């Protein structure tokens, strides 16, 4: 545990200061104007305190958005939505109301979005975009640990040089207070919400802190309410391997097509052989993506088979078991390597083009939890991940992080999550989700007493109103509009697994088509 952080005075903001901020800031009158990205969306800015312990001090801006209810006679309030990484770092929050603009929700709610503090068009939080010294490696040797650690230290220093006072104010509790000021400015007694991914936690915190003002809550791909962000990162690795093992069982059932073995263990052994017949790190990351999304299972298996048989340069792949199936649905010119490059490029944490500065709300938000300062704690975990769990994020989920080195931070801790004073809500979670493990959704539903909609064979993080899943959409719409809860526990089908007798085009063409249809994931 980080002693300097744990021993700091991190008490919640005094009630008097919180009330003073609410009174001082809730009388704002936003100057709404039509957005430059869609005429249905109005945008404005509001001000909130940088620190709620000092409501008369420095202020920051929040960008907010609204699509007005299309049927005022049926209006039942406001619906606020958030998505993205920890702290909604990638969410483009002011655009998110457009996700619901063509649904029945538009007839019942003002659809509200905002860029949380530090993100988007709100007062930004930046860090230097330091380039890694070590480079990304899913199977680093012990000799590489020092460079990996130095990369994390340099990221911390890049945050420290540019974060200023805002960096310690990127907390879940402050985001909840910001939301409540927004609610007050909009003149609403209560709000309803849809939280996707990491920001689902922000709404859990809001419900804990402001239960009297919470109406209906939907948490799509919920973050675990207890483990902190280090625990969330750790849970991603077994979640990846749940998918890998399910994929291997399916591939074994279709040995006559893929020729990779008749048991899960035989398929996994062939997969490990394939890992060393191309760029291994690219292969490992690609396996995490290709096994997460069920429609890609055949493409992934065929690429593995092409590599395992002859390094991917077979000219064509028609199914290697039993002499091939002769459908021409495979590989030419060694493009098994290209398939894994494309799969790896879909990773949500893939490195982008270098920039001078980048927003770093994720780096700040994840530091409201404890992080060990003893590097050997990380190295021990990294060795296990390297040897047993190299696919997907693997070692990177266990390596040192910004919080490892930020030992003098003085950030308010989030409250213990509870539901007291507002009604039952809904959790939606895909079984194949690796960014937020399915066990996170189960734990959230249990803690809050919410209904849990389990989506079989689904690897995406944002499902409701985004994946075209009719069963999920109907359950959630009934709840948000009529208040009708789904069953306490219900499972609905997700994307279909590949039908090997109905596929058209090469495997590479099928991958390109899937990427085109899923670019906004």
């Amino acid at each position: 545990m980080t002693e300097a952080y744990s021993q700091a005075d991190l008490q919640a903001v005094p009630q008097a200061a919180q009330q003073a901020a609410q009174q001082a800031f809730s009388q704002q009158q936003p100057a709404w104007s039509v957005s430059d990205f869609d005429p249905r969306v109005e945008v404005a800015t509001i001000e909130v305190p940088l620190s709620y312990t000092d409501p008369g001090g420095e202020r920051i801006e929040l960008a907010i958005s609204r699509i007005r209810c299309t049927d005022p006679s049926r209006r039942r309030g406001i619906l606020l939505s958030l998505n993205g990484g920890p702290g909604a770092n990638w969410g483009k929050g002011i655009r998110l109301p457009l996700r619901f603009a063509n649904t029945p929700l538009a007839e019942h709610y003002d659809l509200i979005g905002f860029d949380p503090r530090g993100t988007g068009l709100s007062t930004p939080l930046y860090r230097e975009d330091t380039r890694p010294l070590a480079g990304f490696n899913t199977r680093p040797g012990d000799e590489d640990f020092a460079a990996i650690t130095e990369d994390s230290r340099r990221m911390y220093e890049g945050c420290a040089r540019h974060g200023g006072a805002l960096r310690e104010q990127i907390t879940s509790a402050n985001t909840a207070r910001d939301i409540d000021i927004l609610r007050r400015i909009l003149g609403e007694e209560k709000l309803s919400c849809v939280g996707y991914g990491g920001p689902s936690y922000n709404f859990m915190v809001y419900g804990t802190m402001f239960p009297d003002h919470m109406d209906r809550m939907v948490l799509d791909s919920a973050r675990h309410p207890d483990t902190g962000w280090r625990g969330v990162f750790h849970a991603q690795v077994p979640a990846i391997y749940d998918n890998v093992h399910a994929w291997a069982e399916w591939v074994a059932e279709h040995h006559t097509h893929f020729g990779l073995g008749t048991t899960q263990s035989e398929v996994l052994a062939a997969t490990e052989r394939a890992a060393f017949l191309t760029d291994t790190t690219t292969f490992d990351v690609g396996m995490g993506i290709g096994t997460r999304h069920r429609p890609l299972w055949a493409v992934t298996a065929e690429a593995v088979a092409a590599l395992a048989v002859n390094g991917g340069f077979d000219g064509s792949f028609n199914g290697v078991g039993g002499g091939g199936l002769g459908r021409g649905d495979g590989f030419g010119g060694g493009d098994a390597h290209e398939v894994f490059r494309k799969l790896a490029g879909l990773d949500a944490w893939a490195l982008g083009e270098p920039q001078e500065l980048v927003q770093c709300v994720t780096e700040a938000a994840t530091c409201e939890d404890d992080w060990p300062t003893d590097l050997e704690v990380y190295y021990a975990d990294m060795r296990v991940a390297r040897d047993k769990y190299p696919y997907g994020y693997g070692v990177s989920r266990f390596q040192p992080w910004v919080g490892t080195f930020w030992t003098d931070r003085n950030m308010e801790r989030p409250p213990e999550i509870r539901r007291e004073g507002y009604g039952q809500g809904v959790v939606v979670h895909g079984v194949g989700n690796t960014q937020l493990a399915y066990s996170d959704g189960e734990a959230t539903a249990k803690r809050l007493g919410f209904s849990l909609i389990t989506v079989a064979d689904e690897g995406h993080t944002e499902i409701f109103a985004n994946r075209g899943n009719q069963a999920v959409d109907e359950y959630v719409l009934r709840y948000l509009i009529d208040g009708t809860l789904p069953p306490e526990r219900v499972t609905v089908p997700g994307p279909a697994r590949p039908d090997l007798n109905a596929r058209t085009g090469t495997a590479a063409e099928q991958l390109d088509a899937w990427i085109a249809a899923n670019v906004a994931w």
Side-chain angles (χ1 to χ4, degrees):
M1 183 173 286
T2 307
E3 293 184 0
Y5 179 51
S6 299
Q7 295 172 1
D9 181 11
L10 300 173
Q11 298 301 312
V13 173
Q15 190 69 21
Q18 187 165 290
Q19 290 174 347
Q22 291 168 337
Q23 293 172 359
F25 288 86
S26 62
Q27 303 305 312
Q28 298 177 69
Q29 299 294 320
W32 295 101
S33 62
V34 177
S35 75
D36 61 2
F37 54 85
D38 191 291
R40 294 170 292 181
V41 181
E42 297 176 287
V43 294
T45 58
I46 61 173
E47 291 185 332
V48 295
L50 170 66
S51 170
Y52 280 87
T53 61
D54 183 18
E58 186 177 347
R59 300 181 173 202
I60 59 175
E61 287 190 339
L62 300 180
I64 63 175
S65 63
R66 174 177 67 184
I67 298 178
R68 292 179 183 268
C69 177
T70 60
D71 188 349
S73 68
R74 304 169 71 188
R75 183 183 184 276
R76 67 172 316 276
I78 58 174
L79 181 70
L80 178 64
S81 52
L82 280 175
N83 73 340
N89 201 25
W90 307 321
K92 298 180 180 178
I94 60 172
R95 295 174 180 261
L96 196 53
L98 287 168
R99 178 169 294 180
F100 310 125
N102 296 318
T103 75
L105 294 175
E107 302 171 7
H108 297 270
Y109 290 95
D110 286 352
L111 306 175
I112 307 299
F114 84 115
D115 291 338
R117 53 175 55 207
T119 72
L121 297 180
S122 297
T123 300
L125 179 69
Y126 288 121
R127 68 167 172 84
E128 296 171 6
D129 190 18
T130 55
R131 295 291 87 181
L133 301 174
F136 182 62
N137 184 353
T138 53
R139 309 187 193 211
D142 283 19
E143 67 276 8
D144 299 315
F145 288 179
I148 292 171
T149 301
E150 183 60 22
D151 284 339
S152 295
R153 189 191 309 275
R154 292 170 71 231
M155 180 182 288
Y156 153 72
E157 292 171 348
C159 293
R161 280 191 286 270
H162 293 275
L166 178 57
R167 191 164 58 119
E168 287 187 330
Q169 300 300 328
I170 303 293
T171 67
S172 298
N174 277 345
T175 297
R177 297 182 182 107
D178 293 345
I179 290 171
D180 202 58
I181 285 180
L182 174 57
R183 175 194 63 79
R184 287 170 172 264
I185 288 172
L186 295 175
E188 299 291 332
E189 180 62 26
K190 293 177 180 287
L191 65 82
S192 295
C193 62
V194 177
Y196 293 99
S200 63
Y201 186 70
N202 296 110
F203 287 127
M204 294 184 224
V205 172
Y206 182 84
T208 300
M209 294 176 63
F210 301 99
D212 292 344
H213 301 296
M214 176 56 69
D215 188 5
R216 296 174 183 171
M217 183 187 297
V218 176
L219 305 177
D220 185 320
S221 308
R223 202 210 91 167
H224 198 292
D226 296 325
T227 60
W229 281 108
R230 183 166 179 255
V232 171
F233 288 173
H234 283 198
Q236 292 173 348
V237 174
I240 289 167
Y241 271 75
D242 286 345
N243 289 337
V244 171
H245 292 152
W247 167 83
E249 287 184 1
W250 180 83
V251 172
E253 293 169 1
H254 297 89
H255 173 68
T256 56
H257 184 89
F258 300 113
L260 288 171
T262 58
T263 66
Q264 180 191 86
S265 60
E266 290 176 351
V267 172
L268 293 175
T271 303
E272 270 296 277
R273 292 196 301 272
F276 295 97
L277 294 169
T278 186
D279 179 83
T280 303
T281 291
T282 299
F283 179 93
D284 289 344
V285 177
M287 278 294 298
I289 298 296
T291 58
R292 172 182 176 182
H293 299 290
R294 276 45 172 175
L296 298 179
W297 274 7
V299 169
T300 303
E302 289 174 353
V304 168
L307 290 168
V309 172
N310 53 18
F313 293 102
D314 53 329
S316 65
F317 179 83
N318 299 312
V320 298
L325 302 182
R327 286 193 302 273
D329 54 354
F331 295 85
D335 75 351
H337 306 281
E338 180 63 19
V339 163
F340 278 106
R341 281 192 290 271
K342 288 183 177 181
L343 288 172
L346 294 172
D347 185 84
W349 296 84
L351 206 61
E353 290 298 318
Q355 304 176 53
E356 183 177 352
L357 296 174
V358 293
Q359 290 193 6
C360 63
V361 169
T362 289
E363 289 83 342
T366 52
C367 287
E368 70 179 0
D369 301 315
D370 283 314
W371 290 82
T373 55
D374 183 355
L375 295 177
E376 288 302 324
V377 171
Y378 298 94
Y379 297 162
D381 288 341
M382 291 165 70
R383 292 185 184 101
V384 172
R386 174 189 64 199
D387 296 339
K388 293 186 176 181
Y389 308 113
Y391 300 153
Y393 309 118
V395 172
S396 70
R397 300 295 82 194
F398 295 95
Q399 67 191 44
W401 181 242
V402 173
T404 307
F405 307 102
W406 189 8
T407 57
D408 62 345
R409 65 194 186 278
N410 188 31
M411 300 175 77
E412 181 184 2
R413 296 183 184 278
E416 182 179 355
I417 299 301
R418 63 185 185 275
R419 179 171 70 89
E420 297 176 0
Y422 67 95
Q424 188 175 347
V426 177
V427 172
V428 179
H429 218 104
V431 170
N433 193 337
T434 58
Q435 290 176 296
L436 291 160
Y438 177 69
S439 57
D440 287 9
E442 290 181 308
T444 299
K446 182 178 180 180
R447 166 62 60 85
L448 297 178
F450 279 16
S451 296
L452 174 60
I453 303 173
T454 298
V455 189
D457 284 337
E458 177 60 85
H460 280 83
T461 301
E462 302 180 14
I463 303 171
F464 167 61
N466 192 47
R467 302 302 314 147
N469 189 308
Q470 185 175 353
V472 169
D473 291 352
E474 288 180 355
Y475 274 128
V476 175
L477 288 172
R478 281 200 297 268
Y479 165 68
L480 287 173
I481 294 170
D482 301 325
T484 303
L485 282 162
E488 181 178 354
R489 297 291 182 268
V490 62
T491 299
V492 302
R497 300 182 180 189
D499 180 349
L500 299 180
N501 295 312
R503 300 164 69 214
T504 59
T506 68
E509 289 169 346
Q510 292 169 46
L511 175 57
D512 287 340
W514 187 89
I515 292 173
N518 289 269
V519 67
W521 64 324

